[in-house]
Amino acid sequence: SLDHVVAGYRQLTGQASLMPEWAFGLWQSRQRYETDKQSLDVVKEFRQRAIPFDDIVQDWQYWPRDAWGSHEFDLKRFPDPAAWIKSLHDLHAHVMISVWGKFYPGSTNFNAMQKAGFLYQPNITEGMKDWINYPYTFYDAFNPGARQLYWSQINTALFSKGIDAWWEDATEPDLTPSPPTLEGQRVHMNPTAMGTASRVMNGYALMNSMGMYEGQRSVAPNQRVFILTRSGFAGIQRYGTATWSGDTTGTWTAMKKQIAAGLGFCISGTPYWTMDIGGYTMESRFSAGNPTPENADEWRELNARWFEFGAFCPLTRLHGELIPREPWAFGGDSAPAYQAIVKFDKIRYRLLPYIYSLAGGITQDAGTMMRPLVMDFQNDAGSREVADEYMFGPAFLVAPVTTYQARSRSVYLPATDGDWYDFWTGASVAGGRTFDAAAPYDAMPLFIRAGSIIPNGPDIQYTGEKPADPITLFIYTGANGAFTLYEDDGLTYNYERGGFARIPINWDNATQTLTIGKREGKFPGMLAKRTFNIVLVTKNRPVGFSFTPTADQTVTYSGTALKIRLN
């Protein structure tokens, strides 16, 4: 199976490390928050509106304009960085910051790198300038000493102040003016400590991430690393990384292409992929000072549909340039786009027990979260031709809407035992066919495979707000099914030493029996007792999605196996 192929790749190149649990919540970003007050105000607005949210991103140029590579804050705009970061933490937000392996001459960091021989010289000798007209170069990430110095500088300037995660931009690296050329890259990234750029060039992101990962673990060995990197390479999954698709355009065409891009990336064996929800750059008709009402409506719908798609990806991150990308930027409280974004955000947070269990399976079992249909339906010829649908874990078939004003779309459902259920209505739907599925503004087509067991958690505003209790288990009948609920402390590397727990859950369709098996493993802070609310979805009794479902049965679980007969 293709899962075995991925497992073989991971055996050869390294298993994927586990992200901190908060990384699976909502990330808010824009290009860029220019002051500490701007980002603080955004986080406060999330909390005031009760929109679930976990992570705020500080993009580039928080440093003085002529001090790229200093990693220092412009004190006119960020007068007390440590206090600003603490204020964000006090609002239960984690902070990711943009860091580049790029240096302007004249800074203390540049001088230290240059003195040690750790910088690429062609840019300096040629007087190469970047797009804002400053001379620059990058450090040689293939050099162990350079990686150590790079981390040391970042640790002193940023990590010691409380930064939680790293946005490693331009990890190609971006050494030549736009548009870059392959030959230009070979010339200007040369020599490296491991040979010519022609031999090792594409591995830059791998070595850069390794240096950041090993650096952070050297000073905070039990704090999980999270790195967002613009480029990747075989093996990068072992360094706490996710890769995003770069500066895409905010168009329907670009959005549709992201589906195939993400699937291609994930099936390569590198599990964590993400994108700029809404697209980074904007068409002028959207970004003009006074767009027409029609253009404004289209822009909002584009972002709503893109967010619906993004909520069912490994990581969910809003980002883009020119205008704000926060949910309330897409109309008032009653605006369809705002309501759709908030609805899907809340659904993602309810699904965190499911999503985090998939993440645990990535690390423990070499799993894949975002899956081309062919991974699960290898013998279904129709599945091999579908590039705009995918499985999100074993249960969800996701069919993003990528056309303006579309209120339905063609969906192919593979043939499978017990067929499918419409997530929104609970209605049974036959597989092995293509049909038009309803797609209201706030409900892209989602279908659940019969035999699926989907754990939903309680209403929360951020991960860690309270224990995942009670958990509602949605059981979609019609076929046998199994799911393993994975839990750990969500923050540390104790899972590497066995500090995690798994609860096997099985559905026997013939006897209509749910077995919640014996808990395997333990970790500090684990709930000794928990409540499971069970919701049964059948062909004769459809149950659609609800934030407040009615349980068919409620059981208390203490770690020993339970068998529950459901008729």
Side-chain angles (χ1 to χ4, degrees):
S1 73
L2 292 176
D3 281 296
H4 289 153
V5 174
V6 169
Y9 159 82
R10 302 256 182 90
Q11 185 177 0
L12 290 170
T13 64
Q15 298 303 327
S17 57
L18 185 55
M19 307 293 190
E21 187 175 14
W22 46 261
F24 298 97
L26 176 61
W27 293 78
Q28 180 62 60
S29 181
R30 76 163 84 142
Q31 198 289 94
R32 56 191 162 89
Y33 298 115
E34 296 181 349
T35 67
D36 56 4
K37 183 178 184 301
Q38 283 184 351
S39 56
L40 270 169
D41 287 348
V42 164
V43 175
K44 290 175 182 176
E45 188 76 9
F46 269 103
R47 297 296 177 233
Q48 181 180 337
R49 290 173 175 267
I51 302 172
F53 156 82
D54 264 271
D55 311 283
I56 192 77
V57 181
Q58 180 58 52
D59 202 349
W60 69 320
Q61 287 199 352
Y62 51 87
W63 53 79
R65 185 175 175 85
D66 62 352
W68 209 322
S70 68
H71 312 308
E72 294 177 352
F73 290 90
D74 180 348
L75 297 180
K76 295 177 182 177
R77 297 178 290 120
F78 297 86
D80 191 340
W84 164 65
I85 294 166
K86 182 180 183 303
S87 296
L88 293 169
H89 287 167
D90 289 345
L91 291 166
H92 306 286
H94 292 85
V95 187
M96 169 182 277
I97 200 163
S98 173
V99 287
W100 299 54
K102 175 178 177 177
F103 295 86
Y104 283 174
S107 71
T108 300
N109 287 350
F110 174 93
N111 292 338
M113 284 280 185
Q114 180 74 333
K115 183 178 180 180
F118 293 158
L119 297 176
Y120 295 125
Q121 296 301 305
N123 276 39
I124 298 172
T125 58
E126 295 177 16
M128 183 82 72
K129 291 185 178 181
D130 65 14
W131 67 93
I132 55 176
N133 207 34
Y134 284 91
Y136 76 104
T137 191
F138 277 73
Y139 87 106
D140 181 13
F142 296 95
N143 189 311
R147 293 194 299 269
Q148 291 173 5
L149 180 56
Y150 181 63
W151 167 255
S152 175
Q153 293 173 347
I154 287 174
N155 182 39
T156 299
L158 299 172
F159 190 62
S160 64
K161 293 180 173 63
I163 293 294
D164 302 291
W166 311 105
W167 182 359
E168 286 282 3
D169 212 338
T171 49
E172 296 73 49
D174 188 4
L175 271 163
T176 57
S178 182
T181 65
L182 182 59
E183 185 58 30
Q185 192 77 350
R186 286 171 173 162
V187 169
H188 291 88
M189 185 183 165
N190 196 56
T192 79
M194 293 181 70
T196 65
S198 296
R199 292 187 61 202
V200 301
M201 177 171 58
N202 288 350
Y204 190 94
L206 174 71
M207 308 307 290
N208 186 66
S209 294
M210 179 175 71
M212 291 291 290
Y213 178 88
E214 292 179 346
Q216 181 176 316
R217 292 204 68 172
S218 71
V219 298
N222 214 24
Q223 178 179 333
R224 288 189 202 173
V225 179
F226 181 79
I227 298 169
L228 182 65
T229 173
R230 194 165 79 182
S231 293
F233 193 74
I236 202 167
Q237 70 277 354
R238 61 184 184 261
Y239 297 128
T241 60
T243 304
W244 96 99
S245 54
D247 294 348
T248 54
T249 55
T251 63
W252 295 97
T253 300
M255 175 189 168
K256 185 172 183 177
K257 289 181 177 180
Q258 294 304 292
I259 305 170
L263 294 175
F265 192 93
C266 292
I267 204 172
S268 76
T270 312
Y272 291 114
W273 172 88
T274 184
M275 60 187 166
D276 295 349
I277 292 177
Y280 180 73
T281 61
M282 301 171 62
E283 291 184 276
S284 59
R285 65 193 181 98
F286 294 148
S287 60
N290 293 294
T292 65
E294 181 181 347
N295 286 339
D297 286 345
E298 184 176 353
W299 171 246
R300 291 168 182 168
E301 185 169 330
L302 171 67
N303 280 271
R305 290 301 199 186
W306 209 321
F307 190 92
E308 292 169 10
F309 164 33
F312 284 82
C313 287
L315 301 170
T316 302
R317 175 176 149 271
L318 286 157
H319 182 64
E321 68 168 351
L322 297 182
I323 64 173
R325 302 303 181 94
E326 292 74 31
W328 50 90
F330 303 109
D333 291 0
S334 60
Y338 174 79
Q339 291 184 335
I341 289 170
V342 172
K343 174 182 175 180
F344 271 77
D345 180 42
K346 290 182 177 179
I347 289 172
R348 182 173 177 94
Y349 272 80
R350 289 299 183 93
L351 287 172
L352 280 175
Y354 175 80
I355 295 168
Y356 195 63
S357 292
L358 299 181
I362 287 172
T363 296
Q364 301 297 334
D365 305 318
T368 300
M369 187 182 298
M370 187 175 179
R371 307 168 60 82
L373 296 188
V374 71
M375 289 192 79
D376 294 284
F377 307 98
Q378 192 167 348
N379 296 322
D380 183 296
S383 296
R384 302 172 195 172
E385 307 302 322
V386 178
D388 63 349
E389 303 172 21
Y390 60 95
M391 296 297 292
F392 186 62
F396 286 90
L397 185 144
V398 182
V401 178
T402 58
T403 304
Y404 180 42
Q405 295 182 331
R407 298 298 178 261
S408 67
R409 64 150 287 178
S410 176
V411 172
Y412 176 74
L413 291 181
T416 185
D417 292 342
D419 293 326
W420 299 84
Y421 291 90
D422 186 311
F423 174 72
W424 303 109
T425 67
S428 177
V429 185
R433 65 192 182 101
T434 299
F435 67 102
D436 280 340
Y441 197 120
D442 67 341
M444 72 171 174
L446 293 169
F447 294 91
I448 311 299
R449 190 178 183 179
S452 294
I453 301 169
I454 303 177
N456 277 227
D459 180 28
I460 56 173
Q461 292 300 300
Y462 52 89
T463 57
E465 180 185 10
K466 54 189 173 185
D469 188 61
I471 282 180
T472 301
L473 294 175
F474 285 84
I475 314 298
Y476 291 84
T477 66
N480 292 337
F483 188 81
T484 300
L485 184 67
Y486 173 90
E487 296 180 301
D488 58 26
D489 62 27
L491 295 170
T492 75
Y493 286 103
N494 289 344
Y495 73 84
E496 294 180 339
R497 298 175 286 277
F500 62 91
R502 292 177 127 178
I503 301 173
I505 306 171
N506 290 274
W507 170 251
D508 186 316
N509 197 66
T511 63
Q512 299 284 284
T513 301
L514 180 70
T515 301
I516 304 175
K518 180 182 178 182
R519 182 190 290 126
E520 301 165 357
K522 60 182 180 179
F523 60 93
M526 182 184 74
L527 286 176
K529 281 188 176 183
R530 69 180 331 135
T531 299
F532 286 108
N533 295 321
I534 303 165
V535 177
L536 206 63
V537 186
T538 73
K539 290 185 177 182
N540 296 327
R541 197 178 64 119
V543 180
F545 170 77
S546 171
F547 287 112
T548 55
T550 300
D552 293 292
Q553 196 164 333
T554 298
V555 297
T556 300
Y557 176 79
S558 301
T560 56
L562 294 175
K563 283 188 179 291
I564 305 107
R565 190 74 180 269
L566 295 159
N567 294 5

